[in-house]
Coordinates of all heavy atoms in Angstrom, one line a residue:
R76 N 6.1 -7.0 4.2 CA 5.8 -6.3 5.5 C 6.5 -7.0 6.6 O 6.4 -8.2 6.7 CB 4.3 -6.3 5.6 CG 3.8 -5.7 6.9 CD 2.3 -5.6 7.0 NE 1.7 -4.7 6.0 CZ 0.5 -4.2 6.0 NH1 -0.4 -4.6 6.9 NH2 0.1 -3.3 5.1
K96 N -5.0 -3.5 -7.9 CA -4.3 -2.2 -8.0 C -3.5 -2.1 -9.3 O -3.6 -1.1 -10.1 CB -3.4 -2.0 -6.8 CG -2.8 -0.7 -6.7 CD -1.9 -0.6 -5.5 CE -2.5 -1.1 -4.2 NZ -1.7 -1.0 -3.0
K108 N 2.1 -10.5 -2.3 CA 2.5 -9.8 -1.1 C 3.3 -10.8 -0.2 O 3.2 -12.0 -0.4 CB 1.2 -9.4 -0.3 CG 1.5 -8.2 0.6 CD 1.5 -6.9 -0.1 CE 1.8 -5.7 0.7 NZ 1.6 -4.5 0.0
P147 N 9.0 -2.5 -1.0 CA 8.8 -2.2 0.4 C 7.3 -2.1 0.8 O 6.5 -1.8 0.0 CB 9.4 -0.8 0.6 CG 10.1 -0.5 -0.7 CD 9.5 -1.4 -1.8
D148 N 7.1 -2.4 2.1 CA 5.7 -2.1 2.7 C 6.0 -1.7 4.1 O 7.1 -1.2 4.4 CB 4.9 -3.4 2.6 CG 3.4 -3.1 2.9 OD1 2.7 -2.5 2.1 OD2 2.9 -3.5 4.0
V149 N 5.0 -1.9 5.0 CA 5.2 -1.4 6.4 C 6.5 -2.0 7.0 O 6.7 -3.2 7.0 CB 4.0 -1.8 7.2 CG1 4.1 -1.4 8.7 CG2 2.7 -1.1 6.7
Y150 N 7.3 -1.1 7.5 CA 8.5 -1.4 8.3 C 9.6 -2.1 7.4 O 10.4 -2.8 8.0 CB 8.3 -2.1 9.6 CG 7.4 -1.2 10.5 CD1 6.5 -1.8 11.4 CD2 7.6 0.1 10.6 CE1 5.7 -1.1 12.3 CE2 6.8 0.9 11.4 CZ 5.9 0.3 12.3 OH 5.1 1.1 13.1
R188 N 11.0 6.7 -6.8 CA 10.3 5.6 -6.2 C 10.0 5.8 -4.7 O 8.9 5.5 -4.2 CB 11.1 4.2 -6.3 CG 10.4 3.1 -5.6 CD 9.0 2.7 -6.1 NE 8.3 1.7 -5.3 CZ 7.5 1.9 -4.3 NH1 7.3 3.2 -3.8 NH2 6.9 0.9 -3.7
T192 N 4.5 6.7 -3.7 CA 3.1 6.4 -3.1 C 2.5 7.6 -2.5 O 1.3 7.9 -2.8 CB 3.2 5.2 -2.1 OG1 4.0 4.2 -2.6 CG2 1.9 4.7 -1.7
Q219 N -3.2 9.9 9.0 CA -2.9 8.9 10.0 C -1.7 8.1 9.6 O -1.7 7.5 8.5 CB -4.1 7.9 10.2 CG -3.8 7.0 11.4 CD -4.7 5.8 11.4 OE1 -5.1 5.2 10.3 NE2 -5.1 5.3 12.6
G220 N -0.6 8.1 10.3 CA 0.6 7.4 9.9 C 1.6 8.5 9.4 O 1.2 9.4 8.7
C221 N 2.9 8.3 9.7 CA 3.8 9.3 9.2 C 5.0 8.6 8.6 O 6.1 9.1 8.6 CB 4.2 10.3 10.2 SG 5.0 9.5 11.6
G222 N 4.8 7.4 8.0 CA 5.9 6.7 7.4 C 6.1 7.1 5.9 O 5.8 8.3 5.6
N223 N 6.5 6.2 5.1 CA 6.7 6.5 3.7 C 5.5 7.2 3.1 O 5.6 8.2 2.5 CB 7.1 5.2 3.0 CG 7.4 5.5 1.5 OD1 6.5 5.4 0.7 ND2 8.6 5.8 1.2
V224 N 4.3 6.6 3.3 CA 3.1 7.1 2.6 C 2.6 8.3 3.3 O 2.3 9.4 2.6 CB 2.0 6.0 2.5 CG1 0.8 6.5 1.7 CG2 2.6 4.7 1.8
G225 N 2.3 8.2 4.6 CA 1.7 9.4 5.3 C 2.7 10.6 5.3 O 2.2 11.7 5.0
S243 N 0.0 11.3 12.8 CA 0.2 10.4 13.9 C 1.3 9.4 13.5 O 1.6 9.2 12.4 CB -1.1 9.7 14.3 OG -1.5 8.9 13.2
D244 N 1.7 8.7 14.6 CA 2.5 7.5 14.4 C 1.8 6.4 15.2 O 0.6 6.6 15.6 CB 4.0 7.6 14.8 CG 4.1 7.9 16.3 OD1 3.2 7.8 17.0 OD2 5.3 8.3 16.7
S245 N 2.4 5.2 15.4 CA 1.7 4.1 16.0 C 1.3 4.4 17.5 O 0.4 3.9 18.0 CB 2.5 2.8 16.0 OG 3.8 3.0 16.6
K264 N 10.5 13.2 14.6 CA 10.2 11.7 14.6 C 11.5 11.0 14.3 O 11.9 10.0 15.0 CB 9.1 11.4 13.6 CG 8.9 10.0 13.3 CD 8.0 9.3 14.3 CE 7.9 7.8 14.0 NZ 7.4 7.0 15.1
N283 N -4.9 8.3 18.1 CA -5.2 7.9 16.7 C -6.7 7.8 16.5 O -7.2 8.2 15.4 CB -4.6 6.5 16.4 CG -3.2 6.7 15.7 OD1 -3.2 7.3 14.6 ND2 -2.2 6.3 16.3
A297 N -3.1 6.4 6.5 CA -1.9 5.9 5.8 C -1.1 5.0 6.8 O 0.2 5.1 6.8 CB -1.0 7.1 5.3
A298 N -1.8 4.2 7.5 CA -1.1 3.3 8.4 C -1.4 1.8 8.1 O -0.8 1.2 7.3 CB -1.4 3.6 9.9
L299 N -2.5 1.3 8.8 CA -2.8 -0.1 8.6 C -4.2 -0.3 8.2 O -5.0 0.6 8.0 CB -2.5 -0.9 9.9 CG -1.0 -0.8 10.4 CD1 -0.9 -1.4 11.8 CD2 -0.1 -1.6 9.5
G319 N -4.4 6.1 1.7 CA -2.9 5.8 1.5 C -2.6 4.4 1.9 O -1.9 3.7 1.2
A320 N -3.3 3.9 3.0 CA -3.0 2.5 3.5 C -3.8 1.6 2.6 O -4.8 2.0 1.9 CB -3.5 2.4 4.9
N321 N -3.5 0.3 2.7 CA -4.3 -0.8 2.1 C -5.4 -1.2 3.1 O -5.1 -1.5 4.2 CB -3.4 -1.9 1.7 CG -2.5 -1.6 0.5 OD1 -3.0 -1.2 -0.5 ND2 -1.2 -1.8 0.7
N346 N -3.3 4.6 -3.6 CA -1.9 4.3 -3.3 C -1.2 3.6 -4.4 O -0.1 3.0 -4.2 CB -1.7 3.7 -1.9 CG -2.3 2.2 -1.9 OD1 -2.2 1.5 -2.9 ND2 -2.8 1.9 -0.8
G349 N 2.9 3.9 -5.9 CA 4.1 3.2 -5.5 C 4.4 2.0 -6.5 O 5.5 1.9 -7.1
Ligands
NAD1 P1 5.9 2.7 7.0 O1 6.5 1.6 7.7 O2 6.8 3.6 6.3 O3 5.0 3.6 8.0 C1 4.0 3.1 8.7 C2 3.4 4.2 9.5 O4 2.2 3.7 10.2 C3 4.3 4.7 10.6 O5 4.2 6.1 10.7 C4 3.8 4.0 11.9 O6 4.1 4.7 13.0 C5 2.3 4.0 11.6 N1 1.6 3.0 12.3 C6 1.9 1.7 12.6 N2 1.0 1.1 13.3 C7 0.0 2.1 13.6 C8 -1.2 2.1 14.3 N3 -1.6 1.0 14.9 N4 -1.9 3.2 14.3 C9 -1.5 4.3 13.7 N5 -0.3 4.4 13.0 C10 0.4 3.3 12.9 O7 4.8 2.1 6.0 P2 4.3 2.7 4.7 O8 5.1 2.1 3.6 O9 4.1 4.1 4.8 O10 2.9 1.9 4.6 C11 1.7 2.5 5.2 C12 0.5 1.9 4.5 O11 0.5 2.2 3.1 C13 0.3 0.4 4.6 O12 -1.0 0.0 4.6 C14 0.9 -0.1 3.3 O13 0.5 -1.4 2.9 C15 0.4 1.0 2.4 N6 1.2 1.1 1.1 C16 2.5 1.4 1.1 C17 3.2 1.5 -0.1 C18 4.6 1.9 -0.2 O14 5.1 2.1 -1.3 N7 5.4 1.9 0.9 C19 2.5 1.4 -1.3 C20 1.1 1.2 -1.3 C21 0.5 1.0 0.0

Side-chain angles (χ1 to χ4, degrees):
R76 175 175 293 196
K96 193 182 303 180
K108 205 79 179 188
D148 192 73
V149 174
Y150 299 145
R188 173 60 186 93
T192 312
Q219 186 196 36
C221 63
N223 179 271
V224 183
S243 63
D244 63 12
S245 58
K264 169 85 183 163
N283 262 299
L299 296 172
N321 286 309
N346 69 35

